[in-house]
Amino acid sequence: MAINRNFRTCPTTGLVFHEQGEKLIRWNAVAGVVSLLVGGVLALLVILTRWPAVHLLPADWFYLALTAHGLDMLVFWIIFFEIAVLYFCASTLLRCRIAAPRWAWTGFFLMVIGALTNNVAVFRGDSSVMFTSYAPMGAHPAFYLGLILFAVGALIGLFVFLGTLVVAKSEKTYIGSLPLVTFGAVTACIIAVFTIASGAIILIPTFLWSLGLVNSIDSLMYKTVWWAFGHSSQQINVAAHVSIWYLIAAIVFGAKPMSEKVSRGAFLLYIFFLQLASAHHLLADPGLTSNWKIFNTSYAMYLAVLASMVHGLTVPGAIEVAQRQKGYNKGLFEWLRKAPWGNPVFSGMFISLIGFGFLGGISGVMMGTEQLNLIIHNTIYVPGHFHATVVVGTTLAFMSLTYFLIPVLFRRELMFPGLSKWQPYLFGLGMSGFAVFMMGAGTLGVPRRHWDMTFAGNPLGHEFPGAAYLMMGLMALSGLVAIVGGVAYLLITVGSVFFGKKIETPDFKAVTVREGRAAWPARQPVAVAIASHGNIGLGGFVAPGTFTLAMVFLVAFVLYYFVNWKYLSTVWPLS
Amino acid sequence: MSIATPSPDLDDDDLDEPIPAMQQLLDNPFLLLFIGVAMPTVLYIIWGVMEIVGIPIAK
Ligand code: HEM
Ligand SMILES: [Cu+2]
């Protein structure tokens, strides 16, 4: 069969799209957005139930909606979009054809079938086992089968990504090292391979158990291996959204990494250590020793946290350097004040970065400490933390990338440009408030995954303080603001992709490129910025504003950490 | 020099210097894949599973 070597060059950015690669990126992104739509409707139902003043759904529907919300958001929306990002980083950024497009399509269809199967199982009503589906709580076999099919499909996608890297190298579509953004995508892909392998190790026996072919699944064994999947999949997200931060810094500002060595080293720390932090989900479980817990969470996790802090420093640092070179050199923060805050590609990315670091990062380190974990274990603090990481961090980063992709990839003008300016603020700030209030309520002991915090009609009730109800109310209100932001995103993207004004390029044609021979047209600025390497150096304060931000972060971090130790001492008075 | 010059933003100097060991590691996605899968498999899964298997069964 002839290999498709048709490419088009985007006239505005100079990015090069392979015909098949482009279709795959589009369809994976679209499938992701559809999952986000379903998950978003469910989010509304869940939040209206957890708002004590409304308490919308009956208990069985609440647990059904919560299960489906977790899966559609955290598994289907995120992973479809991630596959799109991986194909973009391999094919478009390396100007290389997608390896084995047929396999890529097979993977895609398996993912679609898997997602549908799993959703059908949940909506039938007998699989409300939550996203974690802890054995011995059993779901319908189709629940596990759907997840397995989806995982196999995603695994095929990962190998197509790796295959594309091999093709790019052998067809010499790039020279030297991979661009940093693509390297970040490699990191995400590696973590994803481990994630999916762990998922298979545990979900396949559980599937057989649901069919009655296996006698029992040990619950602690399940939890331990399941979290190698459940936690690592969050680390795919981190690697992916950090790559997108670098990508957007390059797109919007032409920023080059401050020090590629440092940034790549930080990604390497992710590859080594990030997945070990899975153990923080078992800190409260007996049966595993403190050696295992503390090695995996503290020692290893801090190295991964260090890596995140490096990225959190070098991305704004690179932006600062680029802005200062453009003349925004006054004082500490002119570069930031004069940033394009009305451009959702930038504002979304920056809110994602700050929210992920300050809210998700700090709370994550607190929770990952064995002793402190007990203060918040299984409280609503936990979803507070991960909505800060995976929604403000990952989801918002993906949203801001979409605004760039609509004209470039889908060749449509953005609809509702006025609304799109506000969208990152509604979603990002709403979600940040939501996460903070959840953490507040959790600190007061409000449980997660709980239908009725009043325990009405229960023989063993518990009276929460008024402040806990206040927190839950505020959580619901800010959650609604975020939902308005989510609706705006769906309106803008679906509207633009299907009904937006087509961007016509008069002399457009797909160009066939012979293996390694064709000279590419000179790259336009955006494409150059994303794919080029840079070294401005970290010494000598090239980015004093970012340094100041980092110090603010450090102080917040230290204070919050110690406040929690203090709080722990009051939970268990020893005198 | 290779036949293709696909990246006008790289000059020849970049190609002449010897490649440091660390960069060779970073440039080898399959080696990284191996390390990235082996580390957590040993330190998290195998170690963890061994501890669970070692828990005595109640009589
Ligand atoms: C406006 C958007 C969203 C709102 C208002 C929202 C709201 C909520 C609420 C109220 C809960 C229930 C907490 C509990 O009772 O334990 C929840 C759980 C959850 N959410 Fe969201 N969410 C939103 C978006 C997302 C996104 C984008 C993701 C993932 C990318 C996500 C992932 C999850 C997960 C994994 C759970 C936990 C399910 C479980 O405990 O099994 N959410 N969300
Ligand atoms: Cu985790």
Side-chain angles (χ1 to χ4, degrees):
Chain A
M1 217 198 70
I3 292 173
N4 180 334
R5 289 180 198 281
N6 287 339
F7 289 85
R8 79 170 169 85
T9 304
C10 168
T12 34
T13 59
L15 288 169
V16 173
F17 289 94
H18 176 230
E19 202 168 52
Q20 281 294 317
E22 177 173 17
K23 280 202 189 106
L24 282 159
I25 300 171
R26 285 187 187 188
W27 277 98
N28 277 286
V30 167
V33 171
V34 172
S35 316
L36 181 70
L37 169 66
V38 180
V41 173
L42 294 158
L44 181 62
L45 297 175
V46 170
I47 202 160
L48 289 179
T49 310
R50 291 246 43 184
W51 187 358
V54 179
H55 209 230
L56 180 73
L57 298 176
D60 51 348
W61 276 96
F62 170 71
Y63 290 110
L64 188 158
L66 186 53
T67 306
H69 169 70
L71 286 159
D72 281 324
M73 290 299 206
L74 201 53
V75 181
F76 305 137
W77 142 248
I78 295 272
I79 295 186
F80 272 124
F81 202 91
E82 266 157 4
I83 296 285
V85 171
L86 289 188
Y87 290 163
F88 178 84
C89 290
S91 167
T92 306
L93 296 189
L94 299 181
R95 308 195 281 199
C96 176
R97 65 184 171 88
I98 278 277
R102 290 191 167 208
W103 277 106
W105 285 112
T106 312
F108 175 73
F109 287 118
L110 277 176
M111 288 168 74
V112 171
I113 294 169
L116 287 174
T117 311
N118 177 273
N119 264 283
V120 169
V122 174
F123 280 99
R124 277 166 43 99
D126 57 358
S127 301
S128 302
V129 291
M130 305 288 100
F131 158 68
T132 41
S133 56
Y134 285 152
M137 194 164 51
H140 190 274
F143 178 94
Y144 308 106
L145 184 65
L147 285 179
I148 293 168
L149 292 177
F150 184 84
V152 173
L155 193 61
I156 294 176
L158 298 178
F159 281 104
V160 171
F161 168 80
L162 290 171
T164 305
L165 297 185
V166 173
V167 172
K169 185 148 199 131
S170 71
E171 296 188 357
K172 300 204 175 67
T173 66
Y174 72 101
I175 289 183
S177 301
L178 293 171
L180 182 63
V181 175
T182 309
F183 187 72
V186 171
T187 307
C189 170
I190 290 171
I191 300 176
V193 170
F194 174 74
T195 302
I196 291 177
S198 315
I201 296 175
I202 198 63
L203 287 173
I204 291 173
T206 311
F207 171 57
L208 297 177
W209 167 73
S210 73
L211 291 173
L213 299 174
V214 167
N215 277 337
S216 76
I217 300 283
D218 179 77
S219 68
L220 185 56
M221 197 73 96
Y222 178 93
K223 266 184 123 174
T224 306
V225 184
W226 191 89
W227 277 113
F229 159 80
H231 175 79
S232 304
S233 80
Q234 306 327 303
Q235 315 312 336
I236 315 172
N237 306 342
V238 174
H241 75 226
V242 168
S243 309
I244 291 176
W245 294 346
Y246 282 109
L247 179 71
I248 289 178
I251 290 170
V252 176
F253 299 96
K256 291 181 178 177
M258 292 180 81
S259 159
E260 286 223 16
K261 264 188 210 153
V262 171
S263 298
R264 277 172 209 260
F267 277 122
L268 190 67
L269 286 176
Y270 278 174
I271 295 176
F272 285 176
F273 299 112
L274 204 47
Q275 307 155 71
L276 301 178
S278 307
H280 62 210
H281 295 274
L282 293 120
L283 286 176
D285 283 70
L288 291 152
T289 63
S290 284
N291 292 343
W292 180 84
K293 288 177 184 171
I294 292 179
F295 175 81
N296 280 293
T297 58
S298 298
Y299 298 138
M301 191 182 78
Y302 294 152
L303 291 168
V305 169
L306 176 74
S308 285
M309 295 202 291
V310 167
H311 294 306
L313 185 72
T314 56
V315 174
I319 294 177
E320 180 172 353
V321 169
Q323 287 281 82
R324 283 182 189 276
Q325 279 168 354
K326 285 189 198 124
Y328 300 116
N329 220 346
K330 250 188 268 142
L332 275 180
F333 289 117
E334 195 196 13
W335 62 276
L336 193 57
R337 275 201 321 277
K338 298 273 169 71
W341 292 101
N343 175 357
V345 181
F346 166 73
S347 62
M349 169 263 166
F350 207 79
I351 297 172
S352 154
L353 187 144
I354 297 290
F356 178 77
F358 277 83
L359 301 177
I362 294 180
S363 60
V365 172
M366 191 286 269
M367 302 163 73
T369 308
E370 186 175 10
Q371 299 88 326
L372 296 179
N373 181 272
L374 297 178
I375 308 176
I376 52 78
H377 185 70
N378 268 350
T379 68
I380 204 159
Y381 189 101
V382 178
H385 155 75
F386 68 68
H387 281 78
T389 54
V390 92
V391 188
V392 184
T394 310
T395 300
L396 189 54
F398 289 2
M399 286 176 166
S400 41
L401 182 65
T402 320
Y403 293 120
F404 170 73
L405 290 180
I406 286 173
V408 170
L409 176 67
F410 290 92
R411 309 297 297 145
R412 301 274 187 168
E413 276 176 21
L414 212 59
M415 267 177 123
F416 314 113
L419 183 61
S420 76
K421 280 194 184 131
W422 287 100
Q423 192 276 334
Y425 296 96
L426 287 169
F427 190 78
L429 300 183
M431 238 329 138
S432 301
F434 174 80
V436 166
F437 293 124
M438 266 187 161
M439 291 183 209
T443 311
L444 296 170
V446 178
R448 72 181 287 199
R449 295 175 164 175
H450 202 287
W451 173 64
D452 181 18
M453 66 182 278
T454 66
F455 296 92
N458 257 295
L460 291 173
H462 177 77
E463 284 280 338
F464 284 104
Y469 285 92
L470 178 67
M471 289 288 170
M472 293 299 278
L474 291 172
M475 167 199 97
L477 292 174
S478 16
L480 291 178
V481 175
I483 289 198
V484 172
V487 171
Y489 171 78
L490 291 166
L491 204 68
I492 295 164
T493 49
V494 176
S496 311
V497 166
F498 291 103
F499 311 107
K501 198 162 148 252
K502 277 214 172 104
I503 302 176
E504 304 287 358
T505 328
D507 50 356
F508 170 78
K509 60 179 187 314
V511 185
T512 310
V513 176
R514 297 294 315 154
E515 215 165 306
R517 300 250 162 67
W520 288 99
R523 285 182 162 182
Q524 261 118 330
V526 170
V528 171
I530 300 171
S532 64
H533 305 280
N535 265 312
I536 301 170
L538 264 180
F541 286 115
V542 280
T546 304
F547 183 74
T548 311
L549 280 180
M551 287 301 121
V552 173
F553 178 82
L554 196 67
V555 171
F557 194 163
V558 169
L559 281 179
Y560 187 71
Y561 195 69
F562 281 105
V563 163
N564 275 285
W565 280 101
K566 181 89 187 74
Y567 183 52
L568 179 66
S569 72
T570 64
V571 175
W572 282 341
L574 292 177
S575 55
Chain B
M1 262 253 13
S2 73
I3 14 161
T5 37
S7 295
D9 37 291
L10 278 175
D11 46 41
D12 293 359
D13 297 352
D14 293 328
L15 304 172
D16 291 340
E17 289 171 27
I19 299 172
M22 191 62 181
Q23 188 178 340
Q24 289 189 16
L25 168 70
L26 292 173
D27 282 345
N28 188 341
F30 292 95
L31 183 56
L32 293 175
L33 176 65
F34 173 77
I35 301 173
V37 173
M39 285 268 292
T41 304
V42 172
L43 292 171
Y44 177 88
I45 296 191
I46 295 184
W47 182 4
V49 165
M50 275 169 50
E51 290 198 345
I52 297 170
V53 173
I55 301 172
I57 309 274
K59 301 229 171 65

